[in-house]
Amino acid sequence: MADTLVPDFPMPRAARCPFDLPPALRELQQQAPLVKVRQWDGSESWLVTRHADQRALLGDPRVSADPDRPGYPTKASPGAGEGKLSFIMMDDPEHARLRRMVTAPFAVKRVEALRPAVQRIVDGLIDDLLAGPNPADLVEAFALPIPSLVICELLGVPYADHAFFQDHTKTMVHRDATPEQRGQASREVAAYLAGLIGERVTRPQEDLLSGIAGRVTAGELTHQQATEMALLLLIAGHETTANMIALGTLALLQHPDQLALLRETDDPRFIAGAVEELLRYLHITHLGRRRAVTEDIEIGGQVVKAGEGLIMVNEIGNRDPEVFADPDRLDLTRDARRHVAFGFGVHQCLGQPLARMELQVVYGTLYRRIPTLRPAGALEDVPFKHDAFIYGVHELPVAW
């Protein structure tokens, strides 16, 4: 096993295709199923390089998501913070108890009932885009408003306040922000959400915040727990999907043959498959899923001992040639449903049905309604988010 220094942020760089797997990760994947890596603080953990092993470990109850466990890999830069983000950094049974409280609104049937409303939002934003300046920034005019409108409607957060929480979220996920800046931004958004939850305790409405507030009234959640849960849902519900919309559009514009396949069909099965392939091909989180081992586990011919850490990076699992033939090629006809973009096991993404539906509506509508959509500049001029924990583009100038 190599004693390898993993880059703090193994993100795409402008010197090569921004969608490629970083060469260092490909080299590690070719070495062994598990490779011992050294982090910024000198601590060591196991990098899990194979798709099958990632899924097996993410579903293993001997693997803990609790950052307070011995051996849990620290974040990839000093001061990144290790606080628990509601239930996603907890283990069962507390993880399951809290997660069940907000599962129902994200069930597939409930999400599908929202599809017509999301279609109206997408069509309305495309109307505004076509009526506005040309060229335009697709991020500001289209990619960011869609998930923000949807999650605000679902949670019951006034969309009029979207600039407030979007600006603060940018600070919270900006890798160059100081711990003090991130903490202040988090506290301000938390205070805002705590106020809304307090209002829902006395005046409930038909929204998810009211459901969370009802748990407070019933004594099942503290006000602090309710606020943390709302903060998680708000951030996860718009930041990740917005980046995926813009990054996916850019990838398609750079692969016109694949864009043509999507633009020329209204087959919902093909569109759904295309979304899965884009989720496999693109990577908007680069710190990896981090876990601590609570009992000895043998995996890939290697015994990982209790108290050791694991790092499972999406892009290395989703580019495993043993699972996806020619994995560095974008192929919308591929069956990519086994990707690990949403994780696996009990901690897999709660909001994945909503994210999938939003992306299906977007990718199935935008390019058919604006068939001449094209980049309004060179790829090397696109400002990628090398400075953020959630990868994407700051701006995406497009014309038609």
Side-chain angles (χ1 to χ4, degrees):
M1 279 65 68
D3 185 15
T4 308
L5 178 64
V6 170
D8 280 358
F9 293 87
M11 297 181 177
R13 296 296 174 181
R16 57 188 177 78
C17 176
F19 312 116
D20 285 348
L21 182 67
L25 285 182
R26 177 67 75 206
E27 292 171 7
L28 293 175
Q29 187 180 58
Q30 293 170 348
Q31 285 183 30
L34 277 82
V35 181
K36 185 66 71 69
V37 294
R38 189 174 65 252
Q39 299 184 99
W40 64 270
D41 62 350
S43 64
E44 293 184 334
S45 296
W46 291 101
L47 178 72
V48 185
T49 70
R50 308 290 166 82
H51 175 277
D53 294 337
Q54 287 191 3
R55 284 168 62 103
L57 288 165
L58 288 170
D60 195 312
R62 296 170 293 178
V63 172
S64 171
D66 185 347
D68 293 332
R69 292 273 193 175
Y72 185 93
T74 54
K75 287 289 190 296
S77 66
E82 299 294 346
K84 293 183 181 180
L85 189 55
S86 189
F87 53 82
I88 66 171
M89 302 183 80
M90 297 179 184
D91 297 328
D92 289 342
E94 185 66 0
H95 160 264
R97 183 185 78 86
L98 295 176
R99 180 178 171 121
R100 279 195 298 268
M101 294 181 184
V102 289
T103 297
F106 297 98
V108 173
K109 287 186 178 180
R110 293 277 291 272
V111 166
E112 280 302 309
L114 296 173
R115 188 180 288 266
V118 174
Q119 185 69 61
R120 288 192 294 271
I121 289 171
V122 170
D123 283 330
L125 288 169
I126 292 175
D127 290 341
D128 294 343
L129 187 67
L130 292 171
N134 183 3
D137 174 17
L138 195 76
V139 172
E140 189 69 25
F142 185 74
L144 192 54
I146 291 169
S148 297
L149 281 162
V150 172
I151 199 62
C152 282
E153 178 68 22
L154 190 63
L155 279 174
V157 173
Y159 185 70
D161 296 335
H162 71 280
F164 164 78
F165 66 75
Q166 285 173 0
D167 287 346
H168 283 68
T169 298
K170 288 178 182 177
T171 300
M172 292 164 65
V173 301
H174 198 291
R175 70 169 184 168
D176 292 331
T178 66
E180 293 76 21
Q181 290 171 328
R182 281 195 288 270
Q184 181 62 30
S186 178
R187 286 190 293 273
E188 291 187 20
V189 178
Y192 166 77
L193 291 170
L196 291 179
I197 292 170
E199 293 175 6
R200 297 300 198 280
V201 168
T202 56
R203 295 187 300 276
Q205 302 177 20
E206 294 296 323
D207 54 42
L208 187 48
L209 280 184
S210 295
I212 294 173
R215 302 284 185 172
V216 175
T217 302
E220 299 173 30
L221 287 176
T222 67
H223 204 91
Q224 178 66 25
Q225 288 174 320
T227 301
E228 291 171 352
M229 188 177 291
L231 181 62
L232 167 65
L233 295 174
L234 180 64
I235 295 173
H238 81 273
E239 184 71 22
T240 52
T241 305
N243 280 282
M244 189 66 197
I245 290 171
L247 201 60
T249 297
L250 179 57
L252 289 166
L253 291 173
Q254 296 297 318
H255 295 81
D257 59 327
Q258 298 301 302
L259 176 57
L261 294 176
L262 193 54
R263 186 177 56 230
E264 295 165 7
T265 185
D266 59 0
D267 180 356
R269 290 176 298 179
F270 182 86
I271 294 168
V275 167
E276 300 306 314
E277 171 65 354
L278 285 162
L279 287 166
R280 181 201 71 84
Y281 181 73
L282 299 170
H283 319 291
I284 59 171
T285 57
H286 293 262
L287 292 178
R289 290 180 174 85
R290 293 166 182 252
R291 299 289 190 266
V293 176
T294 60
E295 299 178 27
D296 291 2
I297 301 174
E298 183 175 350
I299 193 84
Q302 174 68 47
V303 175
V304 181
K305 297 181 179 180
E308 294 188 315
L310 300 169
I311 302 174
M312 288 163 279
V313 184
N314 278 354
E315 54 263 49
I316 201 170
N318 286 338
R319 298 290 183 95
D320 187 340
E322 294 184 4
V323 181
F324 305 105
D326 196 5
D328 295 326
R329 178 170 60 91
L330 177 63
D331 179 5
L332 299 188
T333 67
R334 182 200 308 271
D335 182 357
R337 288 174 294 179
R338 296 182 64 199
H339 65 74
V340 290
F342 293 119
F344 191 72
V346 297
H347 283 90
Q348 63 183 305
C349 177
L350 172 70
Q352 60 181 294
L354 181 63
R356 282 188 164 102
M357 184 269 286
E358 291 181 71
L359 294 173
Q360 289 166 11
V361 174
V362 168
Y363 294 148
T365 304
L366 177 61
Y367 319 118
R368 287 193 294 111
R369 286 204 54 192
I370 313 181
T372 57
L373 191 73
R374 65 184 187 278
L379 177 64
E380 55 266 26
D381 294 330
V382 175
F384 286 89
K385 291 185 175 180
H386 301 308
D387 55 355
F389 294 115
I390 300 178
Y391 188 63
V393 293
H394 290 290
E395 299 175 1
L396 181 56
V398 293
W400 54 90

